[in-house]
Amino acid sequence: MCHPGRVDPADLKLLRRARDLIDREYARPLDVPAMARAALMSPAHFSRQFRAVYGETPYTYLMTRRIERAKALLRRGDLSVTEVCLAVGATSLGSFSTRFTELVGESPSAYRARNHSAFSAVPGCWAKHVSRPSRIREAQVSAVR
């Protein structure tokens, strides 16, 4: 039995399986019960353990992945916002736009219209790192205000 707030080391491997599922299948319809099944845990236990290890809920992690991928697709400029929304697995353009604006600080249309040439010379792995949306950063900015 683990102490409250501590994650059993055996659970870490199972949590990584679920996180890898999210990273790989972000565009597929995924919900917490499906993620929990990948980790062989109940949804409630999975959510608690995932948050303890990764600092955010499984759903927030999934949405961050989707927005991260959406940013890359929008920077390319060859897809409409609706096409990007569907490509990343979002089912509602309104919800997608709201979440995107929350995490990025501007609407998907405004982000798409911006000049992204500064990213063209940056390796993809670094561009992904510096442009990754983060609720943690958002919370830090809100705390400063």
mmCIF file of all heavy atoms in Angstrom, residues 72-122:
data_model
loop_
_atom_site.group_PDB
_atom_site.id
_atom_site.type_symbol
_atom_site.label_atom_id
_atom_site.label_comp_id
_atom_site.label_asym_id
_atom_site.label_seq_id
_atom_site.Cartn_x
_atom_site.Cartn_y
_atom_site.Cartn_z
ATOM 1 N N ALA A 72 0.895 23.185 -34.674
ATOM 2 C CA ALA A 72 1.787 22.790 -35.769
ATOM 3 C C ALA A 72 1.042 22.803 -37.103
ATOM 4 O O ALA A 72 1.563 23.294 -38.116
ATOM 5 C CB ALA A 72 2.385 21.417 -35.496
ATOM 6 N N LEU A 73 -0.171 22.280 -37.119
ATOM 7 C CA LEU A 73 -0.958 22.259 -38.357
ATOM 8 C C LEU A 73 -1.339 23.669 -38.796
ATOM 9 O O LEU A 73 -1.319 23.988 -39.995
ATOM 10 C CB LEU A 73 -2.205 21.396 -38.177
ATOM 11 C CG LEU A 73 -1.955 19.903 -37.991
ATOM 12 C CD1 LEU A 73 -3.257 19.182 -37.634
ATOM 13 C CD2 LEU A 73 -1.321 19.292 -39.227
ATOM 14 N N LEU A 74 -1.693 24.524 -37.849
ATOM 15 C CA LEU A 74 -2.048 25.907 -38.191
ATOM 16 C C LEU A 74 -0.847 26.678 -38.708
ATOM 17 O O LEU A 74 -0.981 27.518 -39.599
ATOM 18 C CB LEU A 74 -2.666 26.614 -36.979
ATOM 19 C CG LEU A 74 -4.060 26.111 -36.583
ATOM 20 C CD1 LEU A 74 -4.444 26.639 -35.201
ATOM 21 C CD2 LEU A 74 -5.098 26.497 -37.625
ATOM 22 N N ARG A 75 0.340 26.407 -38.169
ATOM 23 C CA ARG A 75 1.556 27.080 -38.663
ATOM 24 C C ARG A 75 1.825 26.729 -40.120
ATOM 25 O O ARG A 75 2.329 27.554 -40.869
ATOM 26 C CB ARG A 75 2.772 26.708 -37.810
ATOM 27 C CG ARG A 75 2.876 27.464 -36.524
ATOM 28 C CD ARG A 75 4.241 27.316 -35.858
ATOM 29 N NE ARG A 75 4.639 25.948 -35.597
ATOM 30 C CZ ARG A 75 4.374 25.294 -34.468
ATOM 31 N NH1 ARG A 75 3.696 25.877 -33.494
ATOM 32 N NH2 ARG A 75 4.788 24.064 -34.302
ATOM 33 N N ARG A 76 1.489 25.494 -40.517
ATOM 34 C CA ARG A 76 1.667 25.092 -41.917
ATOM 35 C C ARG A 76 0.828 25.955 -42.835
ATOM 36 O O ARG A 76 1.244 26.262 -43.952
ATOM 37 C CB ARG A 76 1.251 23.635 -42.113
ATOM 38 C CG ARG A 76 2.314 22.654 -41.849
ATOM 39 C CD ARG A 76 1.980 21.240 -42.211
ATOM 40 N NE ARG A 76 0.699 20.991 -42.843
ATOM 41 C CZ ARG A 76 0.086 19.828 -42.842
ATOM 42 N NH1 ARG A 76 0.627 18.790 -42.253
ATOM 43 N NH2 ARG A 76 -1.075 19.677 -43.453
ATOM 44 N N GLY A 77 -0.385 26.292 -42.404
ATOM 45 C CA GLY A 77 -1.235 27.211 -43.149
ATOM 46 C C GLY A 77 -2.050 26.633 -44.282
ATOM 47 O O GLY A 77 -2.766 27.369 -44.954
ATOM 48 N N ASP A 78 -1.987 25.316 -44.518
ATOM 49 C CA ASP A 78 -2.717 24.745 -45.651
ATOM 50 C C ASP A 78 -4.063 24.141 -45.268
ATOM 51 O O ASP A 78 -4.787 23.659 -46.130
ATOM 52 C CB ASP A 78 -1.860 23.696 -46.366
ATOM 53 C CG ASP A 78 -1.475 22.532 -45.473
ATOM 54 O OD1 ASP A 78 -1.388 22.727 -44.244
ATOM 55 O OD2 ASP A 78 -1.246 21.422 -46.002
ATOM 56 N N LEU A 79 -4.399 24.185 -43.980
ATOM 57 C CA LEU A 79 -5.686 23.655 -43.525
ATOM 58 C C LEU A 79 -6.495 24.759 -42.869
ATOM 59 O O LEU A 79 -5.933 25.653 -42.232
ATOM 60 C CB LEU A 79 -5.482 22.522 -42.505
ATOM 61 C CG LEU A 79 -4.744 21.272 -42.979
ATOM 62 C CD1 LEU A 79 -4.509 20.331 -41.809
ATOM 63 C CD2 LEU A 79 -5.529 20.561 -44.077
ATOM 64 N N SER A 80 -7.803 24.664 -42.998
ATOM 65 C CA SER A 80 -8.671 25.623 -42.310
ATOM 66 C C SER A 80 -8.707 25.283 -40.823
ATOM 67 O O SER A 80 -8.319 24.178 -40.418
ATOM 68 C CB SER A 80 -10.083 25.564 -42.892
ATOM 69 O OG SER A 80 -10.710 24.354 -42.507
ATOM 70 N N VAL A 81 -9.191 26.193 -40.031
ATOM 71 C CA VAL A 81 -9.321 25.944 -38.598
ATOM 72 C C VAL A 81 -10.246 24.744 -38.360
ATOM 73 O O VAL A 81 -9.957 23.891 -37.512
ATOM 74 C CB VAL A 81 -9.821 27.200 -37.850
ATOM 75 C CG1 VAL A 81 -10.147 26.887 -36.398
ATOM 76 C CG2 VAL A 81 -8.786 28.310 -37.932
ATOM 77 N N THR A 82 -11.316 24.643 -39.112
ATOM 78 C CA THR A 82 -12.236 23.506 -38.969
ATOM 79 C C THR A 82 -11.538 22.192 -39.294
ATOM 80 O O THR A 82 -11.695 21.200 -38.576
ATOM 81 C CB THR A 82 -13.480 23.697 -39.864
ATOM 82 O OG1 THR A 82 -14.119 24.915 -39.503
ATOM 83 C CG2 THR A 82 -14.451 22.540 -39.723
ATOM 84 N N GLU A 83 -10.763 22.172 -40.365
ATOM 85 C CA GLU A 83 -10.025 20.954 -40.732
ATOM 86 C C GLU A 83 -9.024 20.571 -39.650
ATOM 87 O O GLU A 83 -8.866 19.393 -39.325
ATOM 88 C CB GLU A 83 -9.311 21.156 -42.073
ATOM 89 C CG GLU A 83 -10.244 21.222 -43.252
ATOM 90 C CD GLU A 83 -9.555 21.662 -44.536
ATOM 91 O OE1 GLU A 83 -8.662 22.546 -44.486
ATOM 92 O OE2 GLU A 83 -9.932 21.123 -45.602
ATOM 93 N N VAL A 84 -8.357 21.558 -39.073
ATOM 94 C CA VAL A 84 -7.401 21.298 -37.995
ATOM 95 C C VAL A 84 -8.135 20.756 -36.778
ATOM 96 O O VAL A 84 -7.698 19.780 -36.161
ATOM 97 C CB VAL A 84 -6.596 22.570 -37.643
ATOM 98 C CG1 VAL A 84 -5.813 22.395 -36.354
ATOM 99 C CG2 VAL A 84 -5.670 22.941 -38.800
ATOM 100 N N CYS A 85 -9.251 21.372 -36.450
ATOM 101 C CA CYS A 85 -10.074 20.933 -35.320
ATOM 102 C C CYS A 85 -10.399 19.444 -35.442
ATOM 103 O O CYS A 85 -10.210 18.672 -34.501
ATOM 104 C CB CYS A 85 -11.348 21.775 -35.256
ATOM 105 S SG CYS A 85 -12.617 21.176 -34.125
ATOM 106 N N LEU A 86 -10.863 19.034 -36.590
ATOM 107 C CA LEU A 86 -11.225 17.637 -36.814
ATOM 108 C C LEU A 86 -9.998 16.735 -36.863
ATOM 109 O O LEU A 86 -10.037 15.603 -36.368
ATOM 110 C CB LEU A 86 -12.039 17.508 -38.095
ATOM 111 C CG LEU A 86 -13.384 18.243 -38.080
ATOM 112 C CD1 LEU A 86 -14.038 18.188 -39.459
ATOM 113 C CD2 LEU A 86 -14.305 17.677 -37.010
ATOM 114 N N ALA A 87 -8.898 17.225 -37.414
ATOM 115 C CA ALA A 87 -7.676 16.429 -37.532
ATOM 116 C C ALA A 87 -7.074 16.070 -36.180
ATOM 117 O O ALA A 87 -6.426 15.031 -36.045
ATOM 118 C CB ALA A 87 -6.639 17.173 -38.378
ATOM 119 N N VAL A 88 -7.285 16.913 -35.192
ATOM 120 C CA VAL A 88 -6.708 16.646 -33.872
ATOM 121 C C VAL A 88 -7.684 15.935 -32.937
ATOM 122 O O VAL A 88 -7.381 15.712 -31.768
ATOM 123 C CB VAL A 88 -6.139 17.919 -33.200
ATOM 124 C CG1 VAL A 88 -5.037 18.526 -34.054
ATOM 125 C CG2 VAL A 88 -7.229 18.933 -32.888
ATOM 126 N N GLY A 89 -8.855 15.580 -33.436
ATOM 127 C CA GLY A 89 -9.790 14.797 -32.647
ATOM 128 C C GLY A 89 -10.827 15.585 -31.882
ATOM 129 O O GLY A 89 -11.603 15.013 -31.122
ATOM 130 N N ALA A 90 -10.868 16.888 -32.054
ATOM 131 C CA ALA A 90 -11.903 17.685 -31.393
ATOM 132 C C ALA A 90 -13.206 17.493 -32.170
ATOM 133 O O ALA A 90 -13.204 17.383 -33.388
ATOM 134 C CB ALA A 90 -11.500 19.149 -31.360
ATOM 135 N N THR A 91 -14.303 17.451 -31.445
ATOM 136 C CA THR A 91 -15.592 17.214 -32.097
ATOM 137 C C THR A 91 -16.435 18.473 -32.191
ATOM 138 O O THR A 91 -17.419 18.491 -32.911
ATOM 139 C CB THR A 91 -16.382 16.130 -31.350
ATOM 140 O OG1 THR A 91 -16.505 16.510 -29.985
ATOM 141 C CG2 THR A 91 -15.686 14.787 -31.433
ATOM 142 N N SER A 92 -16.038 19.517 -31.490
ATOM 143 C CA SER A 92 -16.792 20.767 -31.509
ATOM 144 C C SER A 92 -15.845 21.922 -31.808
ATOM 145 O O SER A 92 -14.877 22.145 -31.065
ATOM 146 C CB SER A 92 -17.462 20.988 -30.142
ATOM 147 O OG SER A 92 -17.837 22.337 -29.979
ATOM 148 N N LEU A 93 -16.117 22.626 -32.882
ATOM 149 C CA LEU A 93 -15.274 23.766 -33.249
ATOM 150 C C LEU A 93 -15.298 24.830 -32.149
ATOM 151 O O LEU A 93 -14.263 25.409 -31.820
ATOM 152 C CB LEU A 93 -15.727 24.364 -34.583
ATOM 153 C CG LEU A 93 -14.907 25.539 -35.115
ATOM 154 C CD1 LEU A 93 -13.437 25.150 -35.294
ATOM 155 C CD2 LEU A 93 -15.491 26.038 -36.417
ATOM 156 N N GLY A 94 -16.449 25.052 -31.556
ATOM 157 C CA GLY A 94 -16.557 26.045 -30.494
ATOM 158 C C GLY A 94 -15.715 25.693 -29.280
ATOM 159 O O GLY A 94 -14.966 26.528 -28.748
ATOM 160 N N SER A 95 -15.811 24.450 -28.822
ATOM 161 C CA SER A 95 -15.018 24.006 -27.667
ATOM 162 C C SER A 95 -13.530 24.027 -27.988
ATOM 163 O O SER A 95 -12.708 24.424 -27.163
ATOM 164 C CB SER A 95 -15.425 22.597 -27.240
ATOM 165 O OG SER A 95 -16.749 22.594 -26.797
ATOM 166 N N PHE A 96 -13.193 23.587 -29.199
ATOM 167 C CA PHE A 96 -11.793 23.602 -29.623
ATOM 168 C C PHE A 96 -11.252 25.028 -29.613
ATOM 169 O O PHE A 96 -10.181 25.297 -29.069
ATOM 170 C CB PHE A 96 -11.659 22.993 -31.022
ATOM 171 C CG PHE A 96 -10.324 23.218 -31.657
ATOM 172 C CD1 PHE A 96 -9.210 22.490 -31.256
ATOM 173 C CD2 PHE A 96 -10.159 24.179 -32.655
ATOM 174 C CE1 PHE A 96 -7.964 22.710 -31.839
ATOM 175 C CE2 PHE A 96 -8.936 24.392 -33.243
ATOM 176 C CZ PHE A 96 -7.828 23.656 -32.836
ATOM 177 N N SER A 97 -11.996 25.953 -30.202
ATOM 178 C CA SER A 97 -11.551 27.352 -30.269
ATOM 179 C C SER A 97 -11.412 27.962 -28.879
ATOM 180 O O SER A 97 -10.449 28.687 -28.604
ATOM 181 C CB SER A 97 -12.521 28.186 -31.107
ATOM 182 O OG SER A 97 -12.484 27.750 -32.445
ATOM 183 N N THR A 98 -12.363 27.654 -28.005
ATOM 184 C CA THR A 98 -12.304 28.170 -26.639
ATOM 185 C C THR A 98 -11.073 27.644 -25.915
ATOM 186 O O THR A 98 -10.331 28.406 -25.289
ATOM 187 C CB THR A 98 -13.578 27.788 -25.858
ATOM 188 O OG1 THR A 98 -14.702 28.381 -26.517
ATOM 189 C CG2 THR A 98 -13.516 28.253 -24.415
ATOM 190 N N ARG A 99 -10.832 26.337 -25.996
ATOM 191 C CA ARG A 99 -9.672 25.738 -25.325
ATOM 192 C C ARG A 99 -8.368 26.248 -25.929
ATOM 193 O O ARG A 99 -7.420 26.550 -25.220
ATOM 194 C CB ARG A 99 -9.748 24.211 -25.427
ATOM 195 C CG ARG A 99 -8.629 23.472 -24.739
ATOM 196 C CD ARG A 99 -8.557 23.747 -23.237
ATOM 197 N NE ARG A 99 -9.759 23.350 -22.590
ATOM 198 C CZ ARG A 99 -9.909 22.295 -21.810
ATOM 199 N NH1 ARG A 99 -8.892 21.515 -21.577
ATOM 200 N NH2 ARG A 99 -11.063 22.026 -21.265
ATOM 201 N N PHE A 100 -8.323 26.361 -27.253
ATOM 202 C CA PHE A 100 -7.132 26.862 -27.925
ATOM 203 C C PHE A 100 -6.820 28.272 -27.428
ATOM 204 O O PHE A 100 -5.686 28.575 -27.065
ATOM 205 C CB PHE A 100 -7.348 26.875 -29.449
ATOM 206 C CG PHE A 100 -6.109 27.186 -30.236
ATOM 207 C CD1 PHE A 100 -5.350 26.170 -30.780
ATOM 208 C CD2 PHE A 100 -5.694 28.500 -30.445
ATOM 209 C CE1 PHE A 100 -4.201 26.446 -31.514
ATOM 210 C CE2 PHE A 100 -4.560 28.787 -31.168
ATOM 211 C CZ PHE A 100 -3.799 27.767 -31.718
ATOM 212 N N THR A 101 -7.825 29.125 -27.392
ATOM 213 C CA THR A 101 -7.646 30.513 -26.952
ATOM 214 C C THR A 101 -7.197 30.564 -25.498
ATOM 215 O O THR A 101 -6.315 31.361 -25.151
ATOM 216 C CB THR A 101 -8.948 31.311 -27.154
ATOM 217 O OG1 THR A 101 -9.309 31.226 -28.548
ATOM 218 C CG2 THR A 101 -8.792 32.760 -26.759
ATOM 219 N N GLU A 102 -7.766 29.704 -24.649
ATOM 220 C CA GLU A 102 -7.357 29.623 -23.243
ATOM 221 C C GLU A 102 -5.882 29.316 -23.106
ATOM 222 O O GLU A 102 -5.179 29.957 -22.326
ATOM 223 C CB GLU A 102 -8.112 28.473 -22.545
ATOM 224 C CG GLU A 102 -9.283 28.813 -21.737
ATOM 225 C CD GLU A 102 -9.919 27.531 -21.180
ATOM 226 O OE1 GLU A 102 -9.206 26.520 -20.936
ATOM 227 O OE2 GLU A 102 -11.131 27.548 -21.000
ATOM 228 N N LEU A 103 -5.421 28.322 -23.845
ATOM 229 C CA LEU A 103 -4.049 27.836 -23.695
ATOM 230 C C LEU A 103 -3.018 28.664 -24.454
ATOM 231 O O LEU A 103 -1.887 28.811 -24.006
ATOM 232 C CB LEU A 103 -3.945 26.376 -24.139
ATOM 233 C CG LEU A 103 -4.659 25.371 -23.244
ATOM 234 C CD1 LEU A 103 -4.603 23.985 -23.846
ATOM 235 C CD2 LEU A 103 -4.046 25.358 -21.856
ATOM 236 N N VAL A 104 -3.397 29.181 -25.603
ATOM 237 C CA VAL A 104 -2.441 29.865 -26.470
ATOM 238 C C VAL A 104 -2.490 31.378 -26.298
ATOM 239 O O VAL A 104 -1.500 32.070 -26.493
ATOM 240 C CB VAL A 104 -2.667 29.450 -27.949
ATOM 241 C CG1 VAL A 104 -1.715 30.156 -28.885
ATOM 242 C CG2 VAL A 104 -2.535 27.933 -28.092
ATOM 243 N N GLY A 105 -3.648 31.887 -25.922
ATOM 244 C CA GLY A 105 -3.767 33.325 -25.721
ATOM 245 C C GLY A 105 -4.300 34.072 -26.922
ATOM 246 O O GLY A 105 -4.396 35.301 -26.903
ATOM 247 N N GLU A 106 -4.629 33.357 -27.975
ATOM 248 C CA GLU A 106 -5.260 33.948 -29.151
ATOM 249 C C GLU A 106 -6.069 32.864 -29.847
ATOM 250 O O GLU A 106 -5.849 31.676 -29.625
ATOM 251 C CB GLU A 106 -4.226 34.560 -30.094
ATOM 252 C CG GLU A 106 -3.231 33.583 -30.688
ATOM 253 C CD GLU A 106 -2.154 34.273 -31.516
ATOM 254 O OE1 GLU A 106 -2.444 35.266 -32.196
ATOM 255 O OE2 GLU A 106 -1.011 33.803 -31.486
ATOM 256 N N SER A 107 -6.995 33.287 -30.664
ATOM 257 C CA SER A 107 -7.878 32.330 -31.343
ATOM 258 C C SER A 107 -7.090 31.522 -32.377
ATOM 259 O O SER A 107 -6.026 31.956 -32.836
ATOM 260 C CB SER A 107 -9.011 33.077 -32.044
ATOM 261 O OG SER A 107 -8.501 33.772 -33.174
ATOM 262 N N PRO A 108 -7.604 30.356 -32.760
ATOM 263 C CA PRO A 108 -6.922 29.581 -33.802
ATOM 264 C C PRO A 108 -6.779 30.365 -35.110
ATOM 265 O O PRO A 108 -5.743 30.285 -35.773
ATOM 266 C CB PRO A 108 -7.827 28.357 -33.994
ATOM 267 C CG PRO A 108 -8.649 28.266 -32.772
ATOM 268 C CD PRO A 108 -8.772 29.649 -32.227
ATOM 269 N N SER A 109 -7.789 31.139 -35.463
ATOM 270 C CA SER A 109 -7.721 31.936 -36.700
ATOM 271 C C SER A 109 -6.618 32.975 -36.618
ATOM 272 O O SER A 109 -5.862 33.165 -37.582
ATOM 273 C CB SER A 109 -9.059 32.630 -36.962
ATOM 274 O OG SER A 109 -10.072 31.680 -37.128
ATOM 275 N N ALA A 110 -6.513 33.651 -35.491
ATOM 276 C CA ALA A 110 -5.463 34.659 -35.312
ATOM 277 C C ALA A 110 -4.090 33.993 -35.322
ATOM 278 O O ALA A 110 -3.144 34.511 -35.927
ATOM 279 C CB ALA A 110 -5.677 35.425 -34.011
ATOM 280 N N TYR A 111 -3.981 32.841 -34.678
ATOM 281 C CA TYR A 111 -2.705 32.116 -34.650
ATOM 282 C C TYR A 111 -2.317 31.690 -36.062
ATOM 283 O O TYR A 111 -1.165 31.845 -36.474
ATOM 284 C CB TYR A 111 -2.810 30.887 -33.739
ATOM 285 C CG TYR A 111 -1.499 30.175 -33.572
ATOM 286 C CD1 TYR A 111 -0.568 30.620 -32.634
ATOM 287 C CD2 TYR A 111 -1.178 29.068 -34.350
ATOM 288 C CE1 TYR A 111 0.648 29.970 -32.497
ATOM 289 C CE2 TYR A 111 0.027 28.415 -34.214
ATOM 290 C CZ TYR A 111 0.941 28.866 -33.276
ATOM 291 O OH TYR A 111 2.161 28.239 -33.140
ATOM 292 N N ARG A 112 -3.269 31.182 -36.817
ATOM 293 C CA ARG A 112 -3.010 30.738 -38.196
ATOM 294 C C ARG A 112 -2.566 31.902 -39.071
ATOM 295 O O ARG A 112 -1.679 31.758 -39.912
ATOM 296 C CB ARG A 112 -4.274 30.093 -38.779
ATOM 297 C CG ARG A 112 -4.085 29.518 -40.166
ATOM 298 C CD ARG A 112 -5.395 28.889 -40.642
ATOM 299 N NE ARG A 112 -5.245 28.268 -41.913
ATOM 300 C CZ ARG A 112 -5.384 28.902 -43.077
ATOM 301 N NH1 ARG A 112 -5.684 30.180 -43.099
ATOM 302 N NH2 ARG A 112 -5.220 28.258 -44.216
ATOM 303 N N ALA A 113 -3.173 33.073 -38.871
ATOM 304 C CA ALA A 113 -2.885 34.241 -39.705
ATOM 305 C C ALA A 113 -1.532 34.884 -39.394
ATOM 306 O O ALA A 113 -0.984 35.611 -40.225
ATOM 307 C CB ALA A 113 -3.992 35.283 -39.527
ATOM 308 N N ARG A 114 -1.000 34.609 -38.217
ATOM 309 C CA ARG A 114 0.279 35.201 -37.821
ATOM 310 C C ARG A 114 1.424 34.687 -38.688
ATOM 311 O O ARG A 114 1.360 33.601 -39.234
ATOM 312 C CB ARG A 114 0.562 34.819 -36.355
ATOM 313 C CG ARG A 114 0.784 35.999 -35.526
ATOM 314 C CD ARG A 114 1.130 35.835 -34.084
ATOM 315 N NE ARG A 114 0.879 34.616 -33.373
ATOM 316 C CZ ARG A 114 1.846 33.879 -32.832
ATOM 317 N NH1 ARG A 114 3.105 34.192 -32.982
ATOM 318 N NH2 ARG A 114 1.549 32.815 -32.140
ATOM 319 N N ASN A 115 2.489 35.463 -38.775
ATOM 320 C CA ASN A 115 3.685 35.046 -39.507
ATOM 321 C C ASN A 115 4.479 34.077 -38.623
ATOM 322 O O ASN A 115 4.915 34.437 -37.542
ATOM 323 C CB ASN A 115 4.527 36.282 -39.855
ATOM 324 C CG ASN A 115 5.770 35.929 -40.638
ATOM 325 O OD1 ASN A 115 6.075 34.759 -40.860
ATOM 326 N ND2 ASN A 115 6.495 36.944 -41.051
ATOM 327 N N HIS A 116 4.679 32.858 -39.112
ATOM 328 C CA HIS A 116 5.396 31.840 -38.350
ATOM 329 C C HIS A 116 6.756 31.525 -38.967
ATOM 330 O O HIS A 116 7.327 30.480 -38.687
ATOM 331 C CB HIS A 116 4.560 30.557 -38.271
ATOM 332 C CG HIS A 116 3.275 30.740 -37.542
ATOM 333 N ND1 HIS A 116 3.199 30.815 -36.178
ATOM 334 C CD2 HIS A 116 2.010 30.893 -38.002
ATOM 335 C CE1 HIS A 116 1.946 30.991 -35.812
ATOM 336 N NE2 HIS A 116 1.206 31.058 -36.902
ATOM 337 N N SER A 117 7.282 32.424 -39.767
ATOM 338 C CA SER A 117 8.552 32.155 -40.441
ATOM 339 C C SER A 117 9.703 31.980 -39.455
ATOM 340 O O SER A 117 10.684 31.309 -39.767
ATOM 341 C CB SER A 117 8.872 33.262 -41.443
ATOM 342 O OG SER A 117 8.999 34.507 -40.777
ATOM 343 N N ALA A 118 9.589 32.539 -38.261
ATOM 344 C CA ALA A 118 10.650 32.379 -37.264
ATOM 345 C C ALA A 118 10.829 30.912 -36.890
ATOM 346 O O ALA A 118 11.929 30.482 -36.537
ATOM 347 C CB ALA A 118 10.337 33.202 -36.016
ATOM 348 N N PHE A 119 9.760 30.109 -36.993
ATOM 349 C CA PHE A 119 9.855 28.696 -36.663
ATOM 350 C C PHE A 119 10.440 27.869 -37.801
ATOM 351 O O PHE A 119 10.822 26.727 -37.589
ATOM 352 C CB PHE A 119 8.476 28.124 -36.303
ATOM 353 C CG PHE A 119 8.057 28.394 -34.898
ATOM 354 C CD1 PHE A 119 7.026 29.269 -34.621
ATOM 355 C CD2 PHE A 119 8.692 27.771 -33.837
ATOM 356 C CE1 PHE A 119 6.630 29.513 -33.323
ATOM 357 C CE2 PHE A 119 8.312 28.011 -32.535
ATOM 358 C CZ PHE A 119 7.276 28.890 -32.275
ATOM 359 N N SER A 120 10.521 28.411 -39.000
ATOM 360 C CA SER A 120 10.962 27.609 -40.145
ATOM 361 C C SER A 120 12.415 27.159 -40.018
ATOM 362 O O SER A 120 12.768 26.089 -40.496
ATOM 363 C CB SER A 120 10.752 28.371 -41.450
ATOM 364 O OG SER A 120 11.548 29.534 -41.478
ATOM 365 N N ALA A 121 13.260 27.943 -39.377
ATOM 366 C CA ALA A 121 14.666 27.574 -39.231
ATOM 367 C C ALA A 121 14.925 26.788 -37.950
ATOM 368 O O ALA A 121 16.048 26.353 -37.704
ATOM 369 C CB ALA A 121 15.528 28.829 -39.238
ATOM 370 N N VAL A 122 13.917 26.596 -37.138
ATOM 371 C CA VAL A 122 14.071 25.904 -35.860
ATOM 372 C C VAL A 122 13.728 24.428 -36.048
ATOM 373 O O VAL A 122 12.715 24.110 -36.670
ATOM 374 C CB VAL A 122 13.124 26.540 -34.805
ATOM 375 C CG1 VAL A 122 13.195 25.807 -33.482
ATOM 376 C CG2 VAL A 122 13.435 28.010 -34.631
#
